[in-house]
Amino acid sequence: MEFEQKFAKMLNANYAISVSNCTTALHLAYEVLDIGPGDEVICPSMSFVATVNAIRYVNAVPVFCDVKGIDDLNLDPEKIERLVTEKTKAIVVMHFAGFPCDMDSIMTIAHKYKLRVVEDACHGPLSEYKGRKLGTIGDIGCFSFFSNKNISTGEGGMMVTNDKELEKQIRLKRSHGMTTMSFQRASGHSTEYDVVALGYNYRMDDLRASLGIVQLDKLQDDLERRRNVRSWYENKLQKLSEKVVVPFQNNREFVSNYVFPIVLKDSNKQYRDDVRNKMHALGVQTSVHYPAIHRFSIYHEFAKNRNMQWTEYIADNEITLPMYANLTESNIDFIVECLQESL
Ligand SMILES: *Cc1c(COP(=O)(O)O)cnc(C)c1O
């Protein structure tokens, strides 16, 4: 409870409900928003696969949407609107590296067609869009506290909403659909309970919550140091601007900088992989965010006749450079030199 209250307060949200991870958060989100068999959910392919897997848990249909381009790896609202059909029930957005999606346009589309909006805000705790925290703009925001995220409890997640009825449904389904909590039963307040919904055990335990409480105190400072790391990168990468794009260059919001993505220009997958291998040989570990979800075997059938031009280019030509608060300016010099040598 303390972790939830603290999280809600930091985000200026009415309610925060802790869960076992973000995958279960996304599942619960789609369920309580009443998304079911045959309903269409417009979703990114440039995300971690859990964003879309959870759509399948409720037997809904993922409708893959392309992103804006190599300068902006988030969903393109114009392309979203073109995908809306009679069956569309919701849009799920993912704020890449903590950079906000174009939420004004997306919420306008949602209101126009009466769609629900889920924010996969795993990358963006405390990230802002026009002064509002990511995860609090749509109907439900979902966060992950897995080991590699900005906040870590090992495994863990949080759901955020401003809607009292949704909060009630989430709490119910998070714990078996039971009308009383085990804490109340154990403390003698209630020995009888009813089961009023088909629920799950998606709870977070107290041990993880206590880790989370301490992590929240460190978050702001960590993010401010990441912001410095990003600006060193931006400066030093200018000399490579003919070959390398730094996405979200024009963003001036406070963001989490969960990862630091670059995209190679006039490149292909083989070249990108060669550059990564060279960098590894020089001592710099890199990663890729992300392989496109629509190209995974189980998603081929949902991606027929879809133009996913930018998502595919990014999946083949993106490199994620090291990003964490303890990086120094000379570390960044070294990384950028290694990149230049590898190009
Ligand atoms: C990590 C992540 C998830 C899944 O979170 P878990 O807590 O590991 O289930 C979902 N979406 C995105 C964008 C993520 O980065």
Side-chain angles (χ1 to χ4, degrees), residues 144-272:
S144 171
F145 309 133
F146 182 60
S147 326
N148 64 4
K149 312 287 170 164
N150 290 99
I151 306 167
S152 173
T153 59
E155 296 273 7
M158 192 73 83
M159 300 176 71
V160 162
T161 184
N162 288 321
D163 184 317
K164 194 172 170 53
E165 187 53 35
L166 289 177
E167 186 234 14
K168 210 175 113 193
Q169 289 296 319
I170 292 166
R171 286 200 187 278
L172 194 63
K173 291 213 160 193
R174 177 183 67 168
S175 192
H176 309 287
M178 285 164 62
T179 50
T180 60
M181 308 284 280
S182 49
F183 175 77
Q184 290 166 305
R185 289 198 305 284
S187 54
H189 293 310
S190 172
T191 47
E192 283 187 38
Y193 56 84
D194 192 12
V195 174
V196 296
L198 182 61
Y200 307 91
N201 177 357
Y202 283 175
R203 296 182 309 255
M204 173 184 277
D205 56 298
D206 314 13
L207 299 176
R208 281 164 210 287
S210 63
L211 293 174
I213 290 168
V214 180
Q215 295 252 321
L216 287 186
D217 289 333
K218 301 177 179 172
L219 185 60
Q220 183 71 25
D221 178 59
D222 182 272
L223 299 189
E224 278 165 21
R225 290 163 69 199
R226 283 171 183 260
R227 184 168 57 176
N228 292 338
V229 174
R230 177 169 170 97
S231 66
W232 290 327
Y233 266 129
E234 286 184 348
N235 289 336
K236 292 168 205 298
L237 284 167
Q238 270 171 20
K239 63 179 175 196
L240 300 180
S241 64
E242 276 179 23
K243 292 176 178 164
V244 171
V245 170
V246 178
F248 307 108
Q249 278 268 16
N250 300 323
N251 192 291
R252 293 287 166 268
E253 311 264 2
F254 183 77
V255 296
S256 58
N257 286 296
Y258 168 58
V259 288
F260 185 79
I262 58 168
V263 183
L264 304 184
K265 284 186 194 171
D266 304 319
S267 165
N268 57 51
K269 186 169 190 293
Q270 184 62 53
Y271 178 71
R272 188 273 311 271

Side-chain angles (χ1 to χ4, degrees), residues 70 115 123 127 134 169 193 256 293 301 304 315 318 322 334:
I70 56 175
L115 309 176
H123 293 190
S127 282
L134 298 188
Q169 289 296 319
Y193 56 84
S256 58
I293 298 173
E301 59 174 309
K304 279 185 222 126
E318 189 271 353
F334 175 75

Side-chain angles (χ1 to χ4, degrees), residues 36-157:
D39 292 338
E40 294 181 354
V41 180
I42 297 174
C43 62
S45 172
M46 183 42 60
S47 180
F48 181 60
V49 69
T51 316
V52 181
N53 281 348
I55 298 172
R56 299 293 297 139
Y57 298 165
V58 297
N59 291 309
V61 179
V63 176
F64 292 106
C65 183
D66 205 3
V67 296
K68 285 191 175 174
I70 56 175
D71 298 307
D72 186 332
L73 314 185
N74 284 329
L75 282 183
D76 184 340
E78 281 179 23
K79 294 169 193 155
I80 291 177
E81 187 159 14
R82 273 184 247 138
L83 292 172
V84 174
T85 71
E86 298 269 277
K87 291 184 181 162
T88 309
K89 256 298 198 37
I91 304 167
V92 54
V93 301
M94 197 280 281
H95 306 288
F96 198 107
F99 290 92
C101 292
D102 184 350
M103 290 309 287
D104 280 347
S105 306
I106 290 168
M107 295 312 292
T108 301
I109 294 167
H111 290 140
K112 185 169 163 188
Y113 299 99
K114 298 196 166 46
L115 309 176
R116 311 308 294 261
V117 175
V118 175
E119 293 179 75
D120 179 337
C122 283
H123 293 190
L126 291 192
S127 282
E128 292 184 1
Y129 174 77
K130 301 188 179 177
R132 297 166 74 185
K133 301 280 190 261
L134 298 188
T136 66
I137 303 166
D139 294 285
I140 298 175
C142 301
F143 293 84
S144 171
F145 309 133
F146 182 60
S147 326
N148 64 4
K149 312 287 170 164
N150 290 99
I151 306 167
S152 173
T153 59
E155 296 273 7

Side-chain angles (χ1 to χ4, degrees), residues 10 28 30 72 97 119 211 256 297 340:
M10 283 177 79
L28 280 187
Y30 299 135
D72 186 332
E119 293 179 75
L211 293 174
S256 58
S297 304
Q340 184 165 19

